[in-house]
Amino acid sequence: MNKAAIFEFFRRLAEANPDPQTELEFGNIYQLLVAVTLSAQATDVGVNKATRALFARVKTPQDMLDLGEEGLKQHIKTIGLFNSKAKNVMAMAEILVRDHGGDVPNDRDALTELPGVGRKTANVVLNCAFGAETFAVDTHIFRVGNRTGLAKGKTPLAVEKQLEKKVPQPFRVGAHHWLILHGRYVCKARTPECWRCPVVDLCGYKAKILEKGAKPATQQGRAAAKES
């Protein structure tokens, strides 16, 4: 995808959704950090259900320490890997209180030193909380980047580096939100809904599904083999 196509790609996504936001619910930067940490290998919908009552009580790292690990587990027990996540969130709260005055640092290195915080989580926090031009490559962005030809790479980091290089202004802050939402609701993993995609003509995916209800190319191939 050349520069002109990339610009048009994001222009159309921005036109359809001028103010893209994360679907995680939070009231402040600390709650955002906790929500993103909990969202690893879980859905935003599931995390939001678990954190609504939690965030009504916990607004700061000190609040989390006061709640305690067992109290936290009761709130997040519906989320996958909740035991290990609870340990990380409690250790994170302790470090934030001890070393950062209860504030979430605006620095990727400092963020990734926190328990349970990897590069993707740090990038989400930097982008959503501080307006940084970061690209948090989750499974959706990895798929969309490779499938469309926008940013190809064998690893999330490789795709992130491609996005850093290729995404133009004024789309850099919102880019990862547009890509996540596009992957979540249109460019789906098993059956991409190409028939309603606003950037279908810019996309390099060869097995486009241009009619609603049509089977992916792999399924068509299996069906033909059975018939023969």
Side-chain angles (χ1 to χ4, degrees), residues 35-56:
V36 180
T37 301
L38 295 176
S39 71
Q41 300 181 50
T43 66
D44 288 0
V45 171
V47 172
N48 289 338
K49 287 181 179 179
T51 56
R52 284 176 191 137
L54 174 66
F55 289 165

Side-chain angles (χ1 to χ4, degrees), residues 7-206:
F7 188 93
E8 180 63 12
F9 182 97
F10 284 106
R11 188 200 67 77
R12 293 183 195 176
L13 296 182
E15 184 177 51
N17 183 5
D19 186 29
Q21 301 290 332
T22 177
E23 293 186 319
L24 290 171
E25 298 173 1
F26 61 96
N28 60 37
I29 298 174
Y30 173 64
Q31 290 180 343
L32 170 65
L33 175 61
V34 172
V36 180
T37 301
L38 295 176
S39 71
Q41 300 181 50
T43 66
D44 288 0
V45 171
V47 172
N48 289 338
K49 287 181 179 179
T51 56
R52 284 176 191 137
L54 174 66
F55 289 165
R57 178 171 178 178
V58 173
K59 295 177 172 57
T60 68
Q62 187 59 57
D63 290 341
M64 188 67 76
L65 294 176
D66 293 341
L67 176 64
E69 185 174 326
E70 291 306 314
L72 173 59
K73 286 181 181 180
Q74 291 304 307
H75 283 282
I76 66 170
K77 60 186 178 182
T78 57
I79 299 175
L81 306 175
F82 75 93
N83 282 312
S84 60
K85 289 178 180 179
K87 291 183 183 299
N88 284 334
V89 169
M90 296 308 300
M92 177 197 303
E94 183 177 350
I95 293 171
L96 289 174
V97 169
R98 185 188 68 211
D99 298 340
H100 299 281
D103 295 327
V104 176
N106 179 8
D107 178 81
R108 182 186 283 129
D109 291 338
L111 285 168
T112 54
E113 288 177 357
L114 298 172
V117 178
R119 186 180 181 89
K120 184 186 75 172
T121 295
N123 281 344
V124 173
V125 172
L126 290 170
N127 179 272
C128 296
F130 302 108
E133 296 176 357
T134 55
F135 305 91
V137 179
D138 69 348
T139 181
H140 297 299
I141 293 184
F142 185 79
R143 178 177 67 255
V144 172
N146 277 287
R147 178 183 278 170
T148 63
L150 170 67
K152 291 187 175 183
K154 294 183 178 180
T155 66
L157 182 59
V159 171
E160 179 185 339
K161 294 299 183 183
Q162 286 293 307
L163 291 170
E164 287 180 348
K165 180 180 178 180
K166 293 182 176 181
V167 177
Q169 296 290 6
F171 308 115
R172 292 179 65 82
V173 172
H176 100 264
H177 293 298
W178 284 310
L179 293 174
I180 287 173
L181 295 172
H182 190 63
R184 185 173 289 165
Y185 297 113
V186 179
C187 196
K188 299 177 182 179
R190 296 187 65 181
T191 307
E193 298 180 0
C194 308
W195 68 86
R196 66 183 189 91
C197 175
V199 293
V200 64
D201 58 311
L202 304 172
C203 171
Y205 185 49
K206 294 182 179 179

